[in-house]
């Protein structure tokens, strides 16, 4: 198991390195400089700003400097907000995305597995069709349409939730539902498909033919083996929910990491864009590592192939 975990950690580190490299050079490839939109009194001040942030150095040297700062946990400073570090920007925005992501993940995991299990074990029932229609809608309607429709109905028309922000508990309802809509739909359909496939296996038919209790067959054989593909997708959905959503946070005016990222892109604030993307990549890598370990604990075959 230790060898398997070490391999997964090494793989995550290599992935993060490539993300840093690709993001850095893509951002540097954008024409212009971050101070071009500012009203500089003269070229000397602009040149001084470029020198202050090291933008007058060769590209390879900027890359080496950035890697060195990253290894020390320093993501740099914002170009557009004087005296504000990228670490502070992430620390201020991530708690909002984290809170919404946790709530959305809980809804996705419990509701998705529950709905999918009901659809698999109660086939050809009216409730199954109802859940499948909901999952289809959740996976096809764009998030900005869901967010706009939610605000129009529950905020403007009924006045049940605030129109923006998360100062109140009710303010989390809309973002959680919108962010969790697609992963919830996917988990529901994946759980149903996986459980239906497991029920058709020979060992399930054999257990039932021997007169085993149906609840024991479902709990110890169908659910346990049918959840293996779902575990991986749950981890991916968990990471995507926790990483925030640019569109959802923008529509609901939430100062999370997603809305901070889009504002940084608009302002060409390269350190904030890179720091945010790398932070999300590290977070997703950690979540995927945890999921891989859990998967190995559930399925002994992973240990043999590791």
């Amino acid at each position: 198991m230790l060898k398997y975990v070490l391999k997964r950690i090494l793989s995550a580190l290599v992935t993060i390195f490539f993300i840093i490299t690709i993001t850095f050079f893509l951002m540097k490839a954008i024409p212009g400089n971050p101070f071009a939109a500012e009203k500089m009194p003269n070229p000397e001040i602009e040149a001084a700003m470029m020198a202050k942030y090291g933008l007058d150095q060769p590209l390879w040297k900027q890359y080496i400097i950035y890697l060195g700062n990253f290894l020390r946990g320093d993501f740099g400073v914002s170009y557009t907000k004087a005296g504000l570090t990228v670490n502070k920007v992430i620390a201020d925005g991530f708690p909002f995305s984290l809170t919404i992501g946790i709530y959305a993940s809980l809804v996705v995991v419990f509701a998705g597995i529950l709905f999918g299990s009901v659809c698999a074990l109660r086939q050809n029932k009216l409730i199954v069709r109802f859940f499948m229609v909901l999952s289809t809608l959740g996976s096809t309607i764009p998030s900005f349409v869901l967010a706009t429709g939610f605000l129009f109905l529950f905020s403007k028309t009924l006045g049940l939730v605030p129109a923006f922000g998360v100062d109140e508990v009710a303010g989390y309802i809309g973002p959680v539902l919108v962010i969790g809509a697609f992963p919830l739909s996917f988990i529901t359909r994946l759980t149903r498909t996986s459980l239906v496939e497991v029920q058709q296996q020979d060992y399930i038919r054999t257990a039932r033919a021997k007169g085993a209790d149906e609840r024991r067959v479902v709990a110890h054989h169908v659910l346990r083996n049918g959840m293996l593909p779902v575990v991986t997708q749950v981890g991916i959905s968990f990471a995507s929910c926790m990483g925030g959503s640019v569109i959802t946070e923008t529509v609901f005016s939430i100062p999370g990491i997603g809305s901070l990222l889009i504002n940084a892109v608009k302002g060409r604030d390269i350190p904030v864009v890179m720091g945010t993307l790398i932070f999300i990549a590290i977070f997703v890598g950690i979540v995927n590592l945890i999921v891989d370990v859990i998967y190995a604990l559930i399925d002994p075959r992973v240990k043999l192939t590791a």
Side-chain angles (χ1 to χ4, degrees), residues 113-125 128 191-192 195-196 199 208 214 217-219 222-223:
I113 294 178
L114 175 62
F115 295 163
S117 300
V118 171
C119 293
L121 301 176
R122 302 287 183 181
Q123 299 184 44
N124 300 322
K125 301 291 184 179
V128 174
T191 302
R192 176 184 179 274
L195 294 183
V196 169
Q199 290 186 88
R208 286 172 173 165
E214 182 64 20
V217 171
V218 172
V222 177
L223 290 179

Side-chain angles (χ1 to χ4, degrees), residues 286-304:
I286 293 174
V287 172
N288 287 337
L289 175 62
I290 295 174
V291 171
D292 288 339
V293 174
I294 295 175
Y295 199 100
L297 294 175
I298 295 175
D299 190 355
R301 292 172 297 178
V302 175
K303 301 177 186 178
L304 298 177

Side-chain angles (χ1 to χ4, degrees), residues 70-142:
F70 169 77
L71 293 177
R72 294 193 298 269
D74 181 11
F75 289 106
V77 296
S78 172
Y79 289 163
T80 59
K81 298 179 181 178
L84 184 63
T85 64
V86 179
N87 297 57
K88 183 66 166 55
V89 173
I90 295 175
D92 290 341
F94 187 63
F96 293 98
S97 299
L98 181 64
T99 303
I100 296 174
I102 291 176
Y103 292 153
S105 300
L106 292 175
V107 172
V108 168
V109 172
F110 290 103
I113 294 178
L114 175 62
F115 295 163
S117 300
V118 171
C119 293
L121 301 176
R122 302 287 183 181
Q123 299 184 44
N124 300 322
K125 301 291 184 179
L126 182 60
I127 190 173
V128 174
R129 298 181 182 179
F130 174 74
F131 284 150
M132 296 309 296
V133 169
L134 287 182
S135 65
T136 302
L137 292 176
S139 59
T140 55
I141 300 179

Side-chain angles (χ1 to χ4, degrees), residues 176-255:
V176 166
L177 294 179
V178 174
I179 290 178
F182 180 80
L184 173 60
S185 302
F186 193 88
I187 291 295
T188 300
R189 301 177 75 91
L190 179 62
T191 302
R192 176 184 179 274
T193 302
S194 180
L195 294 183
V196 169
E197 181 179 352
V198 169
Q199 290 186 88
Q200 297 173 353
Q201 299 298 317
D202 292 337
Y203 63 89
I204 298 295
R205 288 195 290 264
T206 302
R208 286 172 173 165
K210 289 182 176 181
D213 183 70
E214 182 64 20
R215 288 177 296 182
R216 182 176 179 82
V217 171
V218 172
H220 291 271
H221 298 290
V222 177
L223 290 179
R224 183 176 181 180
N225 292 283
M227 287 296 104
L228 292 177
V230 180
V231 169
T232 303
Q233 186 58 42
V234 165
I236 297 174
S237 300
F238 182 75
S240 64
C241 289
M242 300 281 273
S245 172
V246 173
I247 296 177
T248 302
E249 291 182 358
T250 302
V251 172
F252 287 95
S253 300
I254 300 172

